[in-house]
Amino acid sequence: MDHHRSDTSDVTLSGVEQLGFRALADPTRRSILRLLAASDMTIAEVAENFQMTRAAVKKHLTILDEGNLISVQTRGRSRLNTLNADGLRDVFDWFEYFNAFWDDRLNTLKTEIEKDIKTQ
Amino acid sequence: MDHHRSDTSDVTLSGVEQLGFRALADPTRRSILRLLAASDMTIAEVAENFQMTRAAVKKHLTILDEGNLISVQTRGRSRLNTLNADGLRDVFDWFEYFNAFWDDRLNTLKTEIEKDIKTQ
DNA sequence: TTGACATAATACCATTTGGTTTTATATGTA
DNA sequence: TACATATAAAACCAAATGGTATTATGTCAA
């Protein structure tokens, strides 16, 4: 513990994948991702699966886009929403990094216990 | 596509891990998890790492607890906050299931392309 | 060009969120 | 007992969120 340093940093691709987590926080948006995993869809097609208005669905899609979890290709007068694997991987990577920490801790604990047993 | 069925379900442990995602949406809470990965901490100890008040930190810890990402043991007049691997795994599992969907799609695409090449 | 249609943009609203300050309630300890 | 300390609880506030309805804008087709 050095100079009572305060650290609120996010460590990862700051400000980018942060929005990915935010995007995943809403159950509707997680459902949309599931739908898009099955096939690309226009806003109207996505909206068919929910009770809310198209406008509301479009807002969710915008947030998913901001979080880089989907990408959008304008095709004529409609927009095709596609899952973005890269953005999802960014979020996933946070867990990987985190799991590394966690595993280290378990390993340390394990080593300590083994040491205890041996020196008994 | 069956009877134009509308499906907004969350598929997973409904209503439980949902709160896990919500808990992860805030960068402060993700930082707290990182801290707790290194060692268990009281509210006061966690709060030392941030510029906000203890009350605010306590609120974050409550949300992390509701999302099952940490567990709390009252020890005397202080509370020790501990990382909860199970809750984290629940969120992680959502990704696994999701990746399965995603992988299926990629595989299907690959097979289709191969078919195309062969029948050329 | 006109009309239908898919999305965009805006204004608006209720609720939730992330923070504060202030006031309790326990719990160790002199 | 009395006091300091750690957390709990409550009231409060500004901003963000998730939704609505309404009004553009752009594109295809007759």
Side-chain angles (χ1 to χ4, degrees):
Chain A
M1 199 101 45
D2 40 15
H3 300 134
H4 190 74
R5 188 165 63 96
S6 76
D7 179 10
T8 57
S9 71
D10 210 11
V11 184
T12 35
L13 318 162
S14 50
V16 179
E17 60 83 63
Q18 190 171 349
L19 297 178
F21 274 105
R22 176 207 171 209
L24 285 169
D26 185 90
T28 300
R29 289 194 289 268
R30 293 198 297 277
S31 292
I32 291 177
L33 288 180
R34 283 270 169 83
L35 290 172
L36 294 180
S39 68
D40 298 348
M41 288 181 170
T42 64
I43 296 178
E45 284 166 347
V46 172
E48 278 175 11
N49 295 273
F50 299 92
Q51 292 133 311
M52 65 193 76
T53 61
R54 285 185 189 192
V57 169
K58 201 260 172 183
K59 277 192 180 183
H60 283 305
L61 288 168
T62 300
I63 291 171
L64 286 169
D65 190 27
E66 284 168 0
N68 258 312
L69 301 182
I70 66 170
S71 56
V72 189
Q73 346 166 13
T74 303
R75 257 183 93 94
R77 69 178 145 179
S78 65
R79 283 174 25 144
L80 206 56
N81 300 277
T82 310
L83 209 59
N84 183 4
D86 290 344
L88 278 161
R89 200 183 324 280
D90 286 344
V91 178
F92 202 76
D93 286 349
W94 185 88
F95 278 95
E96 292 296 352
Y97 184 94
F98 190 83
N99 280 338
F101 256 86
W102 177 252
D103 288 347
D104 272 359
R105 197 183 168 200
L106 285 187
N107 287 336
T108 307
L109 186 64
K110 197 178 150 212
T111 321
E112 290 303 315
I113 291 170
E114 283 168 358
K115 220 186 294 173
D116 277 5
I117 291 170
K118 282 182 184 163
T119 58
Q120 253 173 4
Chain B
M1 197 111 32
D2 40 15
H3 300 133
H4 191 75
R5 188 164 62 95
S6 78
D7 178 11
T8 58
S9 71
D10 211 11
V11 183
T12 35
L13 318 160
S14 50
V16 178
E17 59 83 64
Q18 192 172 347
L19 296 178
F21 273 105
R22 177 207 172 209
L24 285 170
D26 184 90
T28 300
R29 289 195 288 270
R30 293 199 297 277
S31 293
I32 291 177
L33 288 180
R34 283 271 170 82
L35 290 171
L36 294 181
S39 69
D40 297 349
M41 288 181 170
T42 64
I43 295 177
E45 284 165 346
V46 172
E48 279 175 13
N49 295 272
F50 299 92
Q51 291 133 311
M52 65 192 76
T53 60
R54 286 187 189 192
V57 169
K58 201 258 172 185
K59 278 192 179 182
H60 282 305
L61 288 168
T62 300
I63 291 171
L64 286 169
D65 190 27
E66 284 168 0
N68 258 311
L69 301 182
I70 66 170
S71 56
V72 189
Q73 345 167 14
T74 305
R75 259 185 91 92
R77 70 179 145 178
S78 64
R79 283 175 23 146
L80 206 56
N81 300 278
T82 311
L83 207 60
N84 183 4
D86 289 344
L88 278 161
R89 201 182 323 279
D90 285 343
V91 178
F92 201 78
D93 286 349
W94 184 88
F95 277 95
E96 294 294 354
Y97 184 94
F98 186 83
N99 281 337
F101 255 87
W102 176 252
D103 288 347
D104 272 359
R105 197 187 166 198
L106 286 186
N107 288 336
T108 306
L109 186 64
K110 196 178 150 212
T111 323
E112 289 303 316
I113 291 170
E114 282 166 358
K115 220 186 294 174
D116 277 4
I117 292 170
K118 281 181 185 164
T119 58
Q120 255 174 358

